[in-house]
Amino acid sequence: MRKKLNQLGYLGWIIGVSALILFGCSSLRHELFQSTAFDLGIFDQAVYLISQGQPPITSFMGFHILGDHAAWIFYPLALLYKIYPSVYWLFAVQAAALALGALPTWHLARQAGLKENQAIAIAFVYLLYPLVFNANLFDFHPEVIAVPLLLAAILAARLGHVGWFCFSIFLVLGCKEVLSLTVAALGVWLLLFEKRRLYGAIAICAGVSWFLIATQLIIPFFSGAEAAAVGRYSYLGNSVLGIAKNIVFQPGLILGKVFSLDNLGYLVLLLAPVIWWLSPQGIKLLVGAIPCLALNILADYQAQKDLVHQYSIPALPFLLLAVISSLAAGRGWLQNKRAIILWSLVTFLSLAKFTYFGGRYLESIDTWQATKQAIAQIQTKGSVYTTAQISPHLSNRKLIMFTNADSPPPDLNAFNYVLLNVRHPGWSSNREFAANLINKLKNNQEFQLKYQRDEVYLFVKVS
């Protein structure tokens, strides 16, 4: 008992340090103006509006946040904004959720019969998996909250705690509508391979029901359109049900997409950090990862085929289960703690994007001070028009839009502030578009130039 407490204490320190590192990195990226309106600005504005008792209709998209991914988890998150409205709450929640995934991972390893050193090694495998670090850097996404919850649900099912199991999958479903497919697949695995019929039935029913409710009722009602990602599968159809129908009845449509070099490269990246576990013993545990992998493989969107973005996060718990199962069966190429951690460290150093802090994230450092000073002069909750990168720093307000060269605003007079960076106009804009806006605003009697430095301009509406 004493030894177990010491192990948990050691694990607690690892989790705490990891959470601080993750929080520090995401916060630093934000401070360097590398976060964007899509998606951090969207979620920050929605949570802020909920905390103020206002409808969370995000001006970046033009509709209610539930019309995006039916993610009701933003409502409990808004309680934090009632303490103090700040985007850093989202970074803290994300860092804590990702770091805490190591705790149920350790318990699953011990429950499977792994030695204490091996269980600690598996916790390191999880924390050093490059996707954990990279997803944490890429703004904020509520599905990261589902990672420890999925692991907790699996642990609860194996320990026979039906209440905790139901609570865990309930929260998972609230993070993003597509996670309902992962929950349903988890149910299939529990039913067929774990022989836990009650838990499997609960997960299957909950997953399928929420998928239909979210995609066919909630999202269309609040957005007036199909689920946002449908366009990435346009070759299969223009609706969720149409895509599902074509996958079943016209499988030939997907053959050319499945067998491609992009998908091969994606699978290599995904498996590389845990490739040493490969054994038939662990393959069946990947059933729960099938929806996530299928969606990424079939998508016409390159960001779903890398370890930089969050799209592969739902597959991670099942990769860890496969590792644990192989080790428990005495399979896998690596068995001792030191070798396992060393391999994880090598793949982390190879695939984690910490190097961005020495290059990509410093691209706009030359205007950093000017931008901070300009933002400091926006002291009201008036409407703002600014760049995609500056938007998340000002999204605690009802109306904010970002500059888009392909879709200029219909009326600049609708805004109280216009903040532009001509030198670094943002990913959706360009220097010519920004310069033209500057000229228009200088000739607009409704606006006054309040701040100018290093090609950063702040205009304030005077009437």
Side-chain angles (χ1 to χ4, degrees), residues 33 363-372 374 385-390 403 418-426 429-435 437-438 453-459:
F33 294 100
E363 289 176 352
S364 61
I365 195 68
D366 54 331
T367 60
W368 182 85
Q369 188 172 17
T371 306
K372 293 291 286 186
Y385 185 53
T386 187
T387 71
Q389 278 78 1
I390 296 175
T403 54
V418 179
L419 175 55
L420 302 171
N421 187 332
V422 178
R423 194 179 300 173
H424 304 289
S429 186
N430 55 58
R431 288 180 63 92
E432 182 182 1
F433 179 75
L437 278 177
I438 297 294
R453 179 184 172 186
D454 296 336
E455 296 187 273
V456 174
Y457 298 81
L458 174 64
F459 291 88

Side-chain angles (χ1 to χ4, degrees), residues 150 172-173 177-188 203 207 287-293 295 313-315 317-318:
L150 284 169
V172 168
L173 294 174
E177 90 286 11
V178 75
L179 290 172
S180 57
L181 298 177
T182 296
V183 168
L186 169 63
V188 171
V287 168
I290 289 175
C292 171
L293 297 180
L295 287 170
I313 275 287
F318 304 98

Side-chain angles (χ1 to χ4, degrees), residues 242-261:
I243 290 170
K245 179 181 177 181
N246 285 331
I247 288 175
V248 174
F249 295 105
Q250 298 188 56
L253 292 174
I254 67 175
L255 292 179
K257 294 290 181 180
V258 171
F259 301 104
S260 69
L261 289 177

Side-chain angles (χ1 to χ4, degrees), residues 126-149:
Y126 167 76
L127 291 170
L128 290 172
Y129 192 86
L131 181 60
V132 171
F133 183 84
N134 294 343
N136 175 75
L137 281 184
F138 183 49
D139 289 359
F140 167 85
H141 296 91
E143 55 262 48
V144 301
I145 301 172
V147 175
L149 292 170

Side-chain angles (χ1 to χ4, degrees), residues 70-400:
W72 53 258
I73 199 73
F74 291 119
Y75 282 86
L77 286 177
L79 295 174
L80 297 171
Y81 276 53
K82 284 186 173 292
I83 300 171
Y84 182 78
S86 172
V87 71
Y88 292 95
W89 281 119
L90 299 184
F91 295 143
V93 168
Q94 180 163 263
L98 288 170
L100 281 170
L103 183 59
T105 298
W106 183 86
H107 279 292
L108 283 166
R110 293 294 289 149
Q111 189 267 342
L114 266 61
K115 298 175 183 177
E116 292 174 352
N117 283 342
Q118 288 179 318
I120 287 291
I122 294 302
F124 274 106
V125 169
Y126 167 76
L127 291 170
L128 290 172
Y129 192 86
L131 181 60
V132 171
F133 183 84
N134 294 343
N136 175 75
L137 281 184
F138 183 49
D139 289 359
F140 167 85
H141 296 91
E143 55 262 48
V144 301
I145 301 172
V147 175
L149 292 170
L150 284 169
L151 290 163
I154 294 165
L155 181 63
R158 285 185 165 178
L159 295 177
H161 298 324
V162 67
W164 283 111
F165 177 79
C166 292
F167 180 68
S168 296
I169 63 170
F170 172 71
L171 292 179
V172 168
L173 294 174
C175 293
K176 193 174 185 179
E177 90 286 11
V178 75
L179 290 172
S180 57
L181 298 177
T182 296
V183 168
L186 169 63
V188 171
W189 170 68
L190 289 170
L191 187 66
L192 298 181
F193 299 104
E194 292 284 299
K195 307 303 180 184
R196 299 183 184 275
R197 296 177 181 175
L198 174 62
Y199 297 90
I202 291 172
I204 292 171
C205 291
V208 172
S209 298
W210 182 247
F211 180 77
L212 292 173
I213 292 170
T215 62
Q216 302 306 303
L217 296 176
I218 295 176
I219 291 175
F221 177 80
F222 284 103
S223 71
E226 283 282 336
V230 163
R232 300 172 189 175
Y233 308 92
S234 57
Y235 67 97
L236 289 172
N238 56 12
S239 68
V240 171
L241 295 182
I243 290 170
K245 179 181 177 181
N246 285 331
I247 288 175
V248 174
F249 295 105
Q250 298 188 56
L253 292 174
I254 67 175
L255 292 179
K257 294 290 181 180
V258 171
F259 301 104
S260 69
L261 289 177
D262 281 346
N263 286 332
L264 177 60
Y266 165 60
L267 293 175
V268 169
L269 288 174
L270 192 71
L271 294 175
V274 291
I275 195 70
W276 52 267
W277 66 268
L278 278 180
S279 73
Q281 186 71 26
I283 296 298
K284 65 182 181 182
L285 291 146
L286 297 180
V287 168
I290 289 175
C292 171
L293 297 180
L295 287 170
N296 293 339
I297 286 171
L298 294 177
D300 264 338
Y301 186 51
Q302 193 58 40
Q304 287 185 230
K305 304 177 192 294
D306 60 35
L307 297 190
V308 177
H309 302 85
Q310 78 283 1
Y311 299 105
S312 297
I313 275 287
L316 181 54
F318 304 98
L319 288 173
L320 294 169
L321 279 180
V323 171
I324 292 169
S325 176
S326 293
L327 279 178
R331 306 289 178 85
W333 305 338
L334 305 177
Q335 293 290 322
N336 67 77
K337 175 184 175 182
R338 182 175 298 179
I340 292 171
I341 294 177
L342 180 61
W343 180 268
S344 295
L345 184 59
V346 168
T347 55
F348 176 85
L349 294 174
S350 302
L351 298 173
K353 301 306 179 183
F354 59 89
T355 55
Y356 284 2
F357 286 103
R360 179 179 296 190
Y361 291 166
L362 300 179
E363 289 176 352
S364 61
I365 195 68
D366 54 331
T367 60
W368 182 85
Q369 188 172 17
T371 306
K372 293 291 286 186
Q373 290 174 350
I375 288 173
Q377 297 190 49
I378 300 177
Q379 298 177 349
T380 74
K381 295 297 182 183
S383 52
V384 173
Y385 185 53
T386 187
T387 71
Q389 278 78 1
I390 296 175
S391 292
H393 295 259
L394 293 165
S395 44
N396 280 185
R397 62 194 68 243
K398 190 172 183 179
L399 175 60
I400 181 170

